[in-house]
């Protein structure tokens, strides 16, 4: 019995929009994470896959943080009966970095049953080599649901027939058949029956020439056919010119020329403008951050100006001396209280006390001003950093307002050019329809001189009338054929040798045909036996996929054909280029390439589940499966059945279904899933 890896708790410290998420997963093996777009579902899925099977591509990490940011995720769960804890950290690479993250570039701590494991040891335990391997098998995204999985290693001809390739052997026999009989073409192989038949045909032609001239009627027919071909050619030219004349009359040609002139006038945007237009969301985000930084700088500057206005103008040492003197005077006068009252010095002491009280609050403001200056300096440094980010898109700008204006102007220019191109293409399509897609007329309309068009139409009509008047001249050609027949009679002396050669060629042709038919029979027999065996012994993977699909669609079977009549599905040596899957219903079989998007999504989803189940039995470990909105192309009824199949599948594998569709979440909950709602995306984040 294989073990199951089950995730019980997820804690995302930093990983894109999933940052700060901490969730306990229910005991139910079928979990639905429901949330709106940009709520962090993809970030969560990537963190899970990276933690279990990373490291993955470096460029992937740039979707979840800025340069140098450290992404971190923690998983808690069970691997069989052992407690499992994983802590994975990865650093976002610099812009332009490519390749794959290395194990020494991530910090990975895993504990299985209290024993620490390195990334290599943990990968060996899971049987999944890297991030791509896990994503290929256990993580299915909505955008790739209709892509055919690569099953060459599981369903190849050699796997099906135990290392033997009967289709390749059948093709070898077929090749020998073609060598003996010859393949149709301009130059059949020497010694083949087809080549020998050609040689014998030349002898037959010579014998026919020796026997006499060709039939006079056939010669006349040839002449007439030539005349008809000439007539058809002229009619075709005339038809093209009339189509063009119609396009001029209905104004479609003039409209296309006008659109072409508009396109020339607009001018194509530069490659840098196109690139900036494509990166508009990133540029807008950078400009927004610069605007915020500029606003913070402005606000702190105003606060600093207000604080400077209230700062004392006297020196600190002077003020301190005055205050100390006042205190001393007050103390002395207090000791001389009686004399103080009598002499009137109490008024001076009181004045000293008042001055000190007024100066002390102003002295307190000095540290506040100093702190505001530090904040202003920090805000300015942040503004310069944001400005450098904007310079990666718009190098020449100096502030957010100018950047926002430049970005808008460039986007408008690129959009105007695109609209003009679309208008020109639409006008060209109308012109093509007007000339009934006649290539000659279209080329003349876009390149040729149209002033001589009426004269050319009249000239072609005159040529047609002249051909009708030339019919009697065919009698002269018939007389010439009689003279040629007389000359051919002189060749009659060569008849005996020609007959002998024809007999020898006939014998050789018969022998080659017998050999070719023997190889053909062997190829056909081996092919038919292989097909019979294939149909009766379908691989277990296909049988499991067929069982799963039977609970969703009214299909009778799912098969794979390595070679089909009239199609080349297989390369030399039995290595499959593209395995063709066939779905059978009550009426006929359909290849996967002709199925609708929804049917292909269903077929390849079931194949993927069957692959996961088979891999779990082979490896002895059943890993979690991540399904990202895989029901988007499937109709409501089949989606309901499909969710039931996924629920049944979750009895062996933990299934985490990500969806932004409330209907999908409700279907899954009805089938037995536990639905967890992702935290809503803050409104300030934008799209």
């Amino acid at each position: 019995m294989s073990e199951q890896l089950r995730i019980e708790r997820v804690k995302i410290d930093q990983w894109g929009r999933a940052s700060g998420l901490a969730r306990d997963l229910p005991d139910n093996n079928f979990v639905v994470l429901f949330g709106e777009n940009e709520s962090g579902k993809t970030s969560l899925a990537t963190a899970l896959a990276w933690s279990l099977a990373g490291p993955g591509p470096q460029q992937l990490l740039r979707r979840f943080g800025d340069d140098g940011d450290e992404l971190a995720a923690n998983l808690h769960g069970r691997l069989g009966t052992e407690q499992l804890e994983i802590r994975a950290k990865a650093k976002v690479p610099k812009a332009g970095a490519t390749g794959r993250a290395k194990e020494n570039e991530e910090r990975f701590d895993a504990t299985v049953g209290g024993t620490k494991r390195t990334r290599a040891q943990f990968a060996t335990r899971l049987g999944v080599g890297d991030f791509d391997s896990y994503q290929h098998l256990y993580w299915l995204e909505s955008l790739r649901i209709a892509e055919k999985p690569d099953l060459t290693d599981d369903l190849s001809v050699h796997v099906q027939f135990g290392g033997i390739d009967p289709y390749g052997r059948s093709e070898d026999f077929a090749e020998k058949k073609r060598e003996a009989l010859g393949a149709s073409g301009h130059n059949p192989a020497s010694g083949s029956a087809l080549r020998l038949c050609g040689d014998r045909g030349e002898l037959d032609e010579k014998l026919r020439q020796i026997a006499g001239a060709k039939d006079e009627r056939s010669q006349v027919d040839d002449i007439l056919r030539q005349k008809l071909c000439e007539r058809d050619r002229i009619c075709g030219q005339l038809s093209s010119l009339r189509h063009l004349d119609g396009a001029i009359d209905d104004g479609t040609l003039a409209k296309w020329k006008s659109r072409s002139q508009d396109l020339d006038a607009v001018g194509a945007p530069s490659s840098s403008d196109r690139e900036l237009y494509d990166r508009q969301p990133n540029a807008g985000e950078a400009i927004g951050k610069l605007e915020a930084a500029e606003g913070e700088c402005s606000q702190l500057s105003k606060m600093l100006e207000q604080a400077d206005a209230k700062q004392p103008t006297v020196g600190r040492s002077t003020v301190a001396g005055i205050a100390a003197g006042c205190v001393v005077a007050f103390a002395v006068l207090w000791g001389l209280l009686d004399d103080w009252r009598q002499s009137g010095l109490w008024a001076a002491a009181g004045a000293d006390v008042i001055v000190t009280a007024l100066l002390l609050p102003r002295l307190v403001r000095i540290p506040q001003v100093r702190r505001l200056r530090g904040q202003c300096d920090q805000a300015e440094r942040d503004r310069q950093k944001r400005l450098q980010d904007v310079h990666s898109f718009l190098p020449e700008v100096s502030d957010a307002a100018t950047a926002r204006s430049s970005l808008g102007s460039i986007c408008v220019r690129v959009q105007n050019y695109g609209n003009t191109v679309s208008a020109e293409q639409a006008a060209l399509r109308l012109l093509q329809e007007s000339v009934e897609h006649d290539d000659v007329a279209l080329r003349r309309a876009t390149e040729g001189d149209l002033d001589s068009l009426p004269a050319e139409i009249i000239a072609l009509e005159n040529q047609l009338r002249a051909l009708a008047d030339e019919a009697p001249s065919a009698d002269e050609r018939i007389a010439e054929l009689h003279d040629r027949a007389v000359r051919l009679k002189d060749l009659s002396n060569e008849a005996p040798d020609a007959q002998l050669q024809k007999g020898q060629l006939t014998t050789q042709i018969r022998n080659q045909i017998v050999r070719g038919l023997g190889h053909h029979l062997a190829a056909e027999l081996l092919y038919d036996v292989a097909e019979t065996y294939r149909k009766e012994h379908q691989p277990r993977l296909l049988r499991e996929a067929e069982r799963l699909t039977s609970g969703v669609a009214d299909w009778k079977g799912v098969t794979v054909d390595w070679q089909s009549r009239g199609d080349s599905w297989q390369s030399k040596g039995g290595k499959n280029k593209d395995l063709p899957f066939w779905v059978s219903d009550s009426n006929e079989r359909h290849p996967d390439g002709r199925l609708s998007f929804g049917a292909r999504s269903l077929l390849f989803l079931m194949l993927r589940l069957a692959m996961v189940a088979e891999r779990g039995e082979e490896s002895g470990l059943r890993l979690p499966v991540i399904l990202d909105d895989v029901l988007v192309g499937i109709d409501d009824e089949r989606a309901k059945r499909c969710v039931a199949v996924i629920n049944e599948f979750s009895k062996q594998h933990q299934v985490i279904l990500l969806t932004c569709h409330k209907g999908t979440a409700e279907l899954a909950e009805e089938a037995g899933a536990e639905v967890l709602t992702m935290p809503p995306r803050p409104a300030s984040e934008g799209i």
Side-chain angles (χ1 to χ4, degrees):
M1 182 66 181
S2 59
E3 296 180 315
Q4 179 183 3
L5 191 157
R6 191 176 185 283
I7 301 172
E8 297 177 343
R9 176 172 174 77
V10 179
K11 183 176 181 295
I12 309 297
D13 296 325
Q14 177 69 30
W15 211 294
R17 297 187 183 278
S19 300
L21 177 68
R23 280 295 179 90
D24 291 321
L25 300 187
D27 294 335
N28 191 338
N29 250 11
F30 188 8
V31 180
V32 177
L33 295 180
F34 168 65
E36 61 184 359
N37 291 331
E38 301 296 313
S39 61
K41 299 188 296 299
T42 302
S43 301
L44 173 62
T46 306
L48 293 178
W50 190 284
S51 299
L52 292 174
Q58 286 184 316
Q59 189 62 25
L60 177 67
L61 297 176
R62 294 191 55 79
R63 298 173 56 187
F64 308 106
D66 296 328
D67 293 355
D69 285 354
E70 187 174 66
L71 309 182
N74 299 336
L75 301 184
H76 301 271
R78 303 196 69 81
L79 180 55
T81 59
E82 298 177 315
Q83 192 71 27
L84 171 66
E85 294 186 9
I86 298 175
R87 297 178 180 86
K89 294 183 179 181
K91 183 168 291 187
V92 177
K94 294 182 179 179
T98 58
R100 307 193 60 79
K102 299 178 181 178
E103 292 186 16
N104 57 10
E105 294 176 349
E106 70 160 0
R107 287 194 287 173
F108 174 81
D109 295 315
T111 303
V112 181
T115 302
K116 290 188 175 182
R117 302 288 184 183
T118 64
R119 170 63 79 183
Q121 293 171 336
F122 190 65
T124 301
R125 177 69 184 275
L126 296 189
V128 178
D130 55 18
F131 182 90
D132 287 347
S133 300
Y134 185 88
Q135 187 179 35
H136 171 72
L137 189 62
Y138 297 97
W139 180 3
L140 188 56
E141 299 180 272
S142 59
L143 293 179
R144 303 176 62 184
I145 181 64
E147 295 179 4
K148 183 184 302 183
D150 182 11
L151 298 176
T152 301
D153 295 336
D154 302 279
L155 301 177
S156 66
V157 175
H158 288 83
V159 172
Q160 174 74 354
F161 292 92
I164 301 173
D165 180 17
Y167 296 107
R169 296 295 301 274
S170 174
E171 181 61 27
D172 291 340
F173 283 122
E175 181 64 27
K176 293 180 179 179
K177 175 203 74 173
R178 288 189 287 270
E179 292 175 0
L181 298 181
S184 59
H186 297 292
N187 189 21
S190 177
S192 65
L194 187 59
R195 181 67 174 269
L196 294 173
C197 286
D199 296 341
R200 191 178 69 171
E202 294 177 2
L203 280 175
D204 288 336
E205 178 62 25
K206 187 174 183 178
L207 288 172
R208 282 193 295 271
Q209 292 177 359
I210 292 172
K214 291 183 178 181
D215 184 81
E216 297 175 355
R217 178 65 179 272
S218 65
Q219 296 297 324
V220 174
D221 290 342
D222 289 341
I223 296 174
L224 294 176
R225 278 195 295 271
Q226 293 176 8
K227 297 298 181 182
L228 290 174
C229 289
E230 179 68 13
R231 183 179 183 278
D232 291 341
R233 181 186 65 81
I234 295 174
C235 287
Q237 293 179 354
L238 184 59
S239 176
S240 298
L241 295 181
R242 286 172 176 167
H243 288 154
L244 178 55
D245 189 53
I248 295 174
D249 291 340
D250 60 21
T252 54
L253 178 58
K255 183 176 181 180
W256 172 79
K257 287 186 175 181
S258 175
R259 294 293 182 267
S260 297
Q261 293 172 355
D262 293 342
L263 183 59
D264 294 338
V266 170
S270 64
S271 58
S272 60
D273 288 350
R274 293 177 184 272
E275 181 181 359
L276 180 59
Y277 180 80
D278 294 335
R279 300 175 64 193
Q280 178 183 357
N282 296 335
E285 182 180 358
I287 293 172
K289 292 180 179 179
L290 177 59
E291 290 174 341
E294 290 178 349
E296 184 176 359
C297 284
S298 177
Q299 182 179 2
L300 289 173
S301 297
K302 292 180 180 179
M303 294 173 62
L304 181 59
E305 290 176 0
Q306 294 174 359
D308 284 338
K310 298 178 181 180
Q311 188 173 356
T313 56
V314 297
R316 182 182 302 175
S317 58
T318 303
V319 173
I322 294 174
C326 292
V327 171
V328 170
F330 180 80
V332 172
L333 292 175
W334 179 263
L336 303 174
L337 181 61
D338 294 337
D339 296 337
W340 185 28
R341 293 174 180 173
Q342 296 174 3
S343 62
L345 293 178
W346 61 271
D352 288 344
V353 171
I354 292 172
V355 169
T356 302
L358 291 174
L359 287 177
L360 283 178
R362 297 178 63 85
L363 293 176
V364 173
R365 294 193 187 98
I366 295 176
Q368 294 178 351
V369 173
R370 187 177 303 163
R371 183 167 55 256
L372 281 175
R373 285 199 182 97
Q375 291 176 352
C376 285
D377 293 342
Q378 178 62 35
E380 177 60 21
R381 287 193 294 271
D382 182 66
R383 188 190 71 82
Q384 290 295 332
K385 181 178 180 299
R386 298 304 180 185
L387 183 60
Q388 289 300 320
D389 293 341
V390 173
H391 281 171
S392 64
F393 301 98
L394 296 164
E396 302 300 329
V397 300
S398 58
D399 58 79
T402 305
R404 182 75 69 182
S405 176
S406 298
L407 177 62
S409 300
I410 291 173
C411 292
V412 169
R413 185 163 60 252
V414 174
Q415 288 174 350
N416 287 341
Y417 179 75
N419 294 336
T420 307
V421 170
S422 299
E424 190 273 339
Q425 292 297 322
L428 181 59
R429 287 193 294 271
L430 289 176
L431 178 59
Q432 290 173 334
E433 294 174 359
S434 179
V435 299
E436 299 184 10
H437 298 277
D438 188 317
D439 292 338
V440 175
L442 184 61
R443 185 165 53 252
R444 180 69 179 275
T446 57
E447 301 175 0
D449 179 20
L450 303 180
D451 295 336
S452 61
L453 184 62
E456 292 179 28
I457 294 176
I458 294 174
L460 289 174
E461 291 174 345
N462 292 335
Q463 291 181 30
L464 286 178
R465 285 192 291 269
L467 284 177
D469 297 336
E470 292 175 1
S473 63
D475 295 337
E476 298 176 1
R477 180 59 176 159
I478 293 173
E480 295 176 1
L481 293 175
H482 283 293
D483 295 337
R484 187 161 66 88
V486 173
R487 290 193 300 269
L488 290 174
K489 289 181 181 180
D490 297 336
L491 300 174
S492 60
N493 294 332
E494 300 178 12
D497 292 337
Q499 290 290 353
L500 179 60
Q501 293 178 20
K502 181 179 178 180
Q504 294 173 349
L505 286 175
T506 301
T507 301
Q508 295 178 22
I509 290 171
R510 184 181 298 112
N511 293 336
Q512 289 294 78
I513 289 176
V514 171
R515 291 182 59 233
L517 291 177
H519 291 307
H520 175 72
L521 179 61
E524 289 290 304
L525 181 61
L526 185 56
Y527 178 89
D528 292 339
V529 171
E531 278 294 276
T532 301
Y533 179 87
R534 178 190 63 79
K535 294 176 181 177
E536 294 176 356
H537 300 81
Q538 286 288 307
R540 185 176 64 174
L541 176 61
L542 289 181
R543 294 199 303 271
E544 177 63 15
E546 183 175 308
R547 185 188 69 80
L548 294 174
T549 56
S550 65
V552 181
D554 55 348
W555 296 340
K556 304 300 181 183
V558 177
T559 58
V560 60
D561 289 354
W562 295 274
Q563 186 165 330
S564 182
R565 303 283 184 177
D567 294 310
S568 176
W569 297 102
Q570 179 183 8
S571 63
K572 193 67 175 176
K575 295 183 179 179
N576 303 86
K577 295 178 180 178
D578 186 12
L579 290 174
F581 293 96
W582 294 76
V583 172
S584 303
D585 57 20
S586 57
N587 298 320
E588 56 182 339
R589 294 198 316 159
H590 306 279
D592 60 81
R594 298 178 186 172
L595 296 177
S596 66
F597 176 83
R600 284 170 60 87
S601 301
L602 173 60
L603 172 62
F604 297 143
L605 172 61
M606 296 299 110
L607 277 170
R608 185 68 64 91
L609 295 181
M611 289 169 59
V612 171
E614 185 172 79
R615 186 63 57 85
E617 293 180 8
E618 293 174 355
S619 65
L621 185 60
R622 291 169 281 125
L623 301 181
V625 178
I626 301 173
L627 304 177
D628 188 357
D629 258 342
V630 294
L631 305 179
V632 292
I634 303 176
D635 62 74
D636 294 342
E637 184 59 30
R638 286 186 176 181
K640 183 177 181 180
R641 299 175 189 172
C642 191
V643 168
V645 171
I646 296 175
N647 183 57
E648 181 67 21
F649 176 82
S650 68
K651 294 180 180 179
Q652 300 297 324
H653 289 262
Q654 185 181 29
V655 177
I656 301 175
L657 175 62
L658 311 177
T659 182
C660 61
H661 299 283
K662 185 176 181 181
T664 300
E666 292 174 351
L667 285 178
E669 188 173 28
E670 292 175 2
E674 186 84 17
V675 179
L676 301 180
T677 302
M678 296 288 291
R681 173 172 53 86
S684 61
E685 292 186 6
I687 297 177

